[in-house]
Amino acid sequence: MGGQEHFYLEGQACLVEPTEDGGMFVHTSSQHPSEVQKLVAEVLGLPIHEVQAEVRRMGGGFGGKERRRRPRKPP
């Protein structure tokens, strides 16, 4: 009998708009806006303080939009 794969129904979306002062404003559906801010700044070669990331209110988090790896201790 075959197994079953888990599928996240939440969509991933992002819209980036330039601001009047040369920065960027990011509308994102991520549960981790500070990581989005950091990555957009790196990709565009901007200081992190020139990138603003905003997440609109969303429903419950089911773990599909953010992956955190737990460090493992050697045996």
Side-chain angles (χ1 to χ4, degrees):
M1 181 176 283
Q4 182 177 3
E5 290 291 325
H6 186 79
F7 181 77
Y8 296 107
L9 296 175
E10 301 100 348
Q12 288 283 8
C14 183
L15 172 69
V16 181
E17 299 177 294
T19 59
E20 292 179 0
D21 61 356
M24 294 290 166
F25 191 86
V26 184
H27 304 271
T28 179
S29 65
S30 173
Q31 292 181 8
H32 199 344
S34 58
E35 182 177 3
V36 171
Q37 177 190 27
K38 178 181 173 278
L39 292 172
V40 169
E42 284 180 16
V43 167
L44 298 177
L46 294 171
I48 196 167
H49 69 273
E50 290 186 9
V51 177
Q52 294 177 319
E54 179 180 275
V55 178
R56 294 199 58 181
R57 183 174 57 217
M58 63 174 89
F62 299 101
K65 292 187 180 177
E66 179 179 345
R67 296 179 187 265
R68 290 189 183 183
R69 307 232 188 271
R70 292 183 185 168
R72 292 187 173 183
K73 294 181 183 178

